[in-house]
Amino acid sequence: MPLKDLKESNPIDVADYAMANKIQDEPPFKWWVPFTMRKKRKILSKVKSRYWKTTHKFGIQLPHFVEEALKIDEETGTTFRQDAILKEMKN
């Protein structure tokens, strides 16, 4: 597969590969790797900030921590979140 197609289809993977193999200073990657890594950081920061802003989904409160999930269970009088945590821990 040509390099230009790889750069288009999987830019972050190719940039990570170039950095891991220390070829980011080669001509095909010189300007492209720093640009792609900046883009990666921007995307990740936006996703993280959106995660922390989301408090409810479909009218149900979303916990961000285990303690918060257990507190919600206690307030609602259910054990749904606690059961889900135990099920996840078994697997």
Side-chain angles (χ1 to χ4, degrees):
M1 181 177 251
L3 181 60
K4 69 176 187 163
D5 293 340
L6 278 176
K7 283 177 163 181
E8 256 183 59
S9 62
N10 297 316
I12 293 172
D13 293 336
V14 174
D16 285 339
Y17 175 82
M19 291 186 67
N21 291 300
K22 298 182 180 13
I23 57 173
Q24 71 267 20
D25 293 327
E26 297 294 320
F29 300 106
K30 188 133 179 105
W31 72 269
W32 183 80
V33 169
F35 170 77
T36 305
M37 296 311 283
R38 274 194 307 274
K39 198 159 130 182
K40 174 185 174 182
R41 283 191 291 274
K42 285 180 186 177
I43 291 169
L44 287 176
S45 70
K46 286 181 182 181
V47 168
K48 286 179 184 177
S49 70
R50 185 170 184 152
Y51 170 79
W52 289 108
K53 287 180 186 176
T54 306
T55 59
H56 288 76
K57 188 170 186 178
F58 304 113
I60 298 172
Q61 186 177 359
L62 298 176
H64 293 290
F65 302 102
V66 173
E67 295 82 17
E68 192 177 349
L70 297 176
K71 182 180 172 194
I72 293 169
D73 271 353
E74 187 179 311
E75 290 171 357
T76 59
T78 62
T79 61
F80 298 135
R81 290 168 183 84
Q82 184 177 4
D83 295 342
I85 292 168
L86 293 175
K87 185 176 179 181
E88 285 290 320
M89 297 305 286
K90 279 184 184 177
N91 296 332

